[in-house]
Amino acid sequence: MAEMIEVRWHARAGQGAVTAAKVLAETAMGEGKYVQASPEYGPERMGAPLRAFNRISDRPIRIFSQVTNPGVVIVLDPTLLGMVDVTEGTPDDAVIVINTPESPTEVRERLKIQRRKLFTVDATRISLDTLGRSF
């Protein structure tokens, strides 16, 4: 693992990004890592765009600001694509994971994303098919 992994989550209020960031942190902590999980939102109403952040490290984390240069970006709501620059601050080797039925090629072309590793998964469809609800 790199010395520290920084993750930025993009979602809408109520979709579980803040909870997902906390679960990721707890899982990494269970593996003996140092972790941070923090949301960035105000008194948002359900459905408002928000961001959440994680830091995971083998060493104590002494940074207490928001993540500005994430190596991993996770987008839970594809309607945010084009509204929010999900590549903002990411290095050329960043990994971007997007919940969308579109292919990585389609998303890359539409948003003009270059270099970064881009993965798509239709998590909404998987949730509907297996659980009967969108989670």
Side-chain angles (χ1 to χ4, degrees), residues 2-81:
E3 189 170 313
M4 182 165 39
I5 295 174
E6 294 183 310
V7 181
R8 183 174 64 217
W9 300 76
H10 290 275
R12 293 187 181 278
Q15 288 185 314
V18 173
T19 300
K22 290 176 183 178
V23 169
L24 177 60
E26 288 180 17
T27 302
M29 188 170 55
E31 294 295 315
K33 306 295 183 192
Y34 294 90
V35 299
Q36 288 180 348
S38 59
E40 179 188 78
Y41 59 86
E44 265 75 301
R45 69 200 179 286
M46 186 73 89
L50 67 78
R51 301 186 310 174
F53 307 97
N54 286 104
R55 285 192 177 93
I56 303 169
S57 179
D58 291 323
R59 298 182 180 171
I61 301 171
R62 305 206 190 286
I63 302 169
F64 298 101
S65 61
Q66 66 178 219
V67 171
T68 56
N69 301 105
V72 178
V73 174
I74 301 168
V75 182
L76 299 184
D77 190 326
T79 66
L80 293 172
L81 299 175

Side-chain angles (χ1 to χ4, degrees), residues 70-134:
V72 178
V73 174
I74 301 168
V75 182
L76 299 184
D77 190 326
T79 66
L80 293 172
L81 299 175
M83 290 178 54
V84 175
D85 181 5
V86 298
T87 64
E88 178 186 8
T90 59
D92 287 346
D93 64 346
V95 174
I96 301 171
V97 180
I98 302 172
N99 170 26
T100 180
E102 293 183 74
S103 72
T105 301
E106 291 171 317
V107 173
R108 188 178 295 281
E109 288 174 1
R110 182 164 57 89
L111 299 180
K112 297 177 180 33
I113 295 174
Q114 297 180 2
R115 294 178 289 281
R116 293 150 188 91
K117 297 172 191 161
L118 179 64
F119 300 93
T120 61
V121 61
D122 193 354
T124 301
R125 173 58 41 208
I126 293 168
S127 176
L128 289 169
D129 290 348
T130 59
L131 302 171
R133 289 185 51 198
S134 178

